[in-house]
Amino acid sequence: MSAAPQRPDVYYGGQAVIEGVMIRAPRHMAVAVRHPSGEIVRHSEELTGFTTGRLRQIPLVRGAVVLWETLSLGLRAINYSSRIALDEPAEDDGEAAAATTPLPDEEEPLADAAMWFSMTVGIVFAVGLFFVGPVLLANFLESQGIARAGVVAIEAAVRLVLFVAYIALIGLMPDIRRVFQYHGAEHMTIHAYEAARPLQVADVRRFPKEHTRCGTSFLVVVIMIALAAFLAFDLLVDEGIVVRILSRVVLLPPIAGISYEVLRFGARFESNALVRAMFAPNIALQALTTRVPEDDQIEVAIAAFETAVESAAKD
């Protein structure tokens, strides 16, 4: 397939899933997964709710919407891809490369409940590890007489180290390494599309596996913006450890909103040398979250992107 016509107002994003890739079009989600038989199974569904509404168009608000959407859509896509990769029974719609595997109606409530429970546990764990834990350490350091500004800087450094260490450790797992290869394939495919190159393996492979708008970059920007926001809050408000912990959670949506706008700015002006230098740490960190994909993994990423573009053409 040749590169689809460009719409400058549309940004495609996505993420790697189990043996596949999910691509988010303006109003659709497309997933392509490599079935154990070798076939590429595709799935597309229309998105509804506030993630496709006007909130997603409002600057400084859309970042928090995108953060929530990343969690919810990502979990749904992973749930779908795991059933394909584990060769669970599928319904064939007559096209080998476009089969879908919806859950039987009687299993959907249970599956949805398990999905939301898993996501809730994951969010609680992430907030505890990356936000509450560093705050408790910061509070202890301040009780030892360290200046507040220094304490907040240490808190941010600990949060960043925890994040990098977590990514590095899970990257040692073979299954996660394959997911990171699909992550690289997703980035390379989006690069090819944005450069108006044909979506063919040989052309896609020419592009880097890192991308400015990567979710990894988003999280790094969140951490850096949080440093300034938390420092300002702690210097202005001194109400104890409980208020400090709550501030880290309450301030997260506006921090995500600002971070998303910074990321879009970087993507828009990524050809500028100064902007590239500013985002160099984000790109460097993607060495941990992406791997060079194999040709068959790039094929899956292309299939996901083609399905997303076909869905977007209907909008």
Side-chain angles (χ1 to χ4, degrees):
M1 169 182 168
S2 298
Q6 297 282 299
R7 283 182 56 185
D9 59 327
V10 174
Y11 286 100
Y12 286 91
Q15 65 185 80
V17 295
I18 299 172
E19 292 301 324
V21 170
M22 182 271 282
I23 296 291
R24 207 278 194 191
R27 300 187 65 85
H28 294 79
M29 175 180 73
V31 186
V33 184
R34 180 74 69 177
H35 189 273
S37 67
E39 294 178 321
I40 297 176
V41 180
R42 308 186 195 195
H43 171 75
S44 177
E45 62 181 72
E46 185 175 4
L47 302 177
T48 58
F50 74 96
T51 59
T52 59
R54 296 184 62 182
L55 286 178
R56 210 176 192 278
Q57 307 302 320
I58 302 176
L60 299 179
V61 174
R62 56 192 173 189
V65 175
V66 169
L67 181 60
W68 172 256
E69 177 189 82
T70 299
L71 293 171
S72 59
L73 293 188
L75 190 58
R76 284 164 58 188
I78 289 173
N79 181 50
Y80 173 83
S81 67
S82 66
R83 290 186 283 117
I84 298 296
L86 293 174
D87 194 25
E88 293 190 6
E91 292 183 6
D92 192 345
D93 62 4
E95 298 181 31
T100 60
T101 59
L103 287 172
D105 291 340
E106 64 271 15
E107 294 183 12
E108 284 183 354
L110 181 59
D112 288 344
M115 181 183 71
W116 284 106
F117 175 78
S118 297
M119 188 169 72
T120 301
V121 171
I123 291 174
V124 171
F125 173 78
V127 170
L129 179 62
F130 298 117
F131 287 91
V132 177
V135 170
L136 295 176
L137 175 61
N139 190 68
F140 170 76
L141 293 176
E142 190 172 12
S143 70
Q144 303 303 305
I146 299 178
R148 174 160 292 197
V151 165
V152 176
I154 293 172
E155 176 191 340
V158 169
R159 187 173 292 114
L160 182 59
V161 168
L162 285 173
F163 175 67
V164 173
Y166 173 77
I167 295 297
L169 285 174
I170 66 172
L172 298 176
M173 302 168 61
D175 289 345
I176 298 299
R177 283 202 298 270
R178 284 195 61 80
V179 172
F180 286 171
Q181 284 181 292
Y182 279 107
H183 190 192
E186 173 230 326
H187 286 175
M188 295 161 72
T189 302
I190 292 177
H191 272 305
Y193 167 77
E194 293 175 341
R197 298 299 301 166
L199 295 185
Q200 300 173 356
V201 173
D203 291 275
V204 170
R205 187 167 286 288
R206 298 176 182 176
F207 291 90
K209 60 184 179 63
E210 299 84 12
H211 198 288
T212 308
R213 294 200 314 276
C214 174
T216 305
S217 295
F218 182 42
L219 293 176
V220 172
V221 174
V222 165
I223 291 173
M224 302 311 296
I225 298 295
L227 170 60
F230 295 161
L231 177 59
F233 181 87
D234 285 358
L235 291 178
L236 294 173
V237 179
D238 183 11
E239 297 294 340
I241 183 64
V242 174
V243 172
R244 177 178 282 182
I245 291 176
L246 290 176
S247 72
R248 279 22 178 192
V249 178
V250 172
L251 290 175
L252 186 56
I255 288 172
I258 296 172
S259 300
Y260 184 72
E261 302 307 321
V262 170
L263 208 61
R264 285 177 65 96
F265 173 83
R268 184 177 180 182
F269 298 101
E270 61 181 334
S271 60
N272 181 281
L274 179 59
V275 172
R276 286 201 307 271
M278 290 172 56
F279 282 84
N282 295 359
I283 298 299
L285 186 60
Q286 290 180 45
L288 295 177
T289 63
T290 60
R291 298 287 190 275
V292 177
E294 300 170 1
D295 285 353
D296 62 339
Q297 293 173 313
I298 294 177
E299 290 174 355
V300 173
I302 291 173
F305 196 86
E306 288 177 345
T307 304
V309 171
E310 290 167 3
S311 299
K314 304 173 184 177
D315 293 344

